[in-house]
Amino acid sequence: MGVGTRLITSVPFTYKPPDNIDAVTVTAVRREPKGNFHFMQRVFVLDKNKEPLIPCNPARARQLLKSGKATVYHRYPFTIILKDREGGNTQPIQIKIDPGSQTTGIAVVVEFKRGLCCVWAGELTHRGQQIRDGLLSRRQLRRGRRTRKLRYRKARFDNRNRPDGWLAPSLMSRVYTIETWVKRLMRYVPVTHLAMELVKFDIQAMVNPEISGVDYQQGELWGYEVREYLLEKFGRKCVYCGIKDVPLEIEHIVPKSRGGSNRVSNLTLACHPCNQQKGNQTADEFGHPNVQRLAKLPLKDASAVNATRWKLYETLQGFRLPIEIGTGGRTKYNRAVQNYPKTHWLDAVCVGESGQVVFVSLNHQPLVIKAVGRGNRQMTKPDKYGFPRATRQRKKVYFGFQTGDMAKARVTSGKKEGIYVGKVAVRASGSFNITTPTDTIQGINHRFFKTIHKSDGYNYMKGEQALLPMPKGRGFPRLKFR
Ligand SMILES: [Zn+2]
């Protein structure tokens, strides 16, 4: 698709807000910057001493590679290394993270003179469940072995203690994989700032108004924070009928028509039918005195703080870079005003105050990264009766290849003649299998293979094109990292 075909476009649109939050109408005018300034997924660049430089356009990278001034250094994420150049100008660069339980969004945003621009994005899928299953099976195997072989051993299941701040391995794996990716990106990009979404809502701002009684009609951002707060406080369901996964409306416990205030302590969440049915009654009259009581109690700090996120925050502090903290309410607000669709990587782009105006190319494609681990330790494979069938050798690498490597097989003759790109499964005999996106070809000799990317515990795919709406504002409102 030619990028030039959609320069300077102007599309007005109306943003439809979530129920019960004041409507906003944003007229967007997108003016793409002139010159060589397209923001697709950029290519990471290293100088000849392997020092990271500002990522460049794919077109520029192609030029450099073609003219022989650079070579490919790394495939995922795509990185080139310049043969001659040393050093170069760099701008402030921020890695932004939106941690999720299944998938974490990662974005690399550069502060150009013209404004903030997303130059690279990824979606990292964790393997928490896989780790849980792995530990469970290990526990069961060990238990079986103990009862078979160590029946008279003294009990010692309870002889370990957990350090402070201990988290389950499945949760820690999320922290570790994110840390790994921040480290990796720091190798390829001259990162100066970090940002992450730490809490669901602004705890300080929310707990104080419960006590001091600040109205929630304080602007749009405040509305988003209030909403996140109420969702947390009332357990993400309708307080009256308990229904889940339906749009919830912000509801006045004592109706405004009866003198109820806009204070946070007078608000709750209800589904549309309940809200209608309740009408002009107070919660008490509607038969829910408990709601009235609960609403008065401020939510405890602890319930809004997610242990895994705090751990991640502590871990990120180890990088000794300024970290910008965002709330979930702020992320949603930023996404709504820029009218970006809900994806993990766009949430990452929208994290924090600096996420308010970030340019994202219309057809930006994130890298989809899936943590898959590095194999298992099982030494014997049983047959269907449970008897040992094959013993694994103490070797993973055969003829320079390991199962899971990305490789290209160029078969020059025979029935399987052709070019195949995919994942290798090695065999000691040297007759490998290769799995391409379409099928698996068996029994190709190792000498036809060439490595593209060594197995590193992750699978990679190209993400969906974003197909973004036009961003707000004219040109680039300038924002800076703090
Ligand atoms: Zn309801």
Side-chain angles (χ1 to χ4, degrees), residues 238-243 270-274:
C238 171
V239 286
Y240 300 119
C241 68
I243 192 168
C271 67
H272 185 71
C274 286

Side-chain angles (χ1 to χ4, degrees), residues 263-318:
R263 289 174 184 178
V264 180
S265 55
N266 189 39
L267 299 174
T268 185
L269 291 169
C271 67
H272 185 71
C274 286
N275 201 353
Q276 292 292 311
Q277 212 187 334
K278 180 168 171 276
N280 205 17
Q281 304 170 74
T282 65
D284 214 346
E285 291 162 1
F286 192 48
H288 292 269
N290 54 328
V291 172
Q292 214 139 352
R293 227 176 311 117
L294 185 65
K296 286 267 161 19
L297 302 171
L299 181 61
K300 290 224 172 66
D301 278 19
S303 54
V305 181
N306 177 315
T308 315
R309 286 186 176 196
W310 270 106
K311 200 77 180 180
L312 177 64
Y313 180 55
E314 282 168 17
T315 310
L316 292 183
Q317 280 174 327

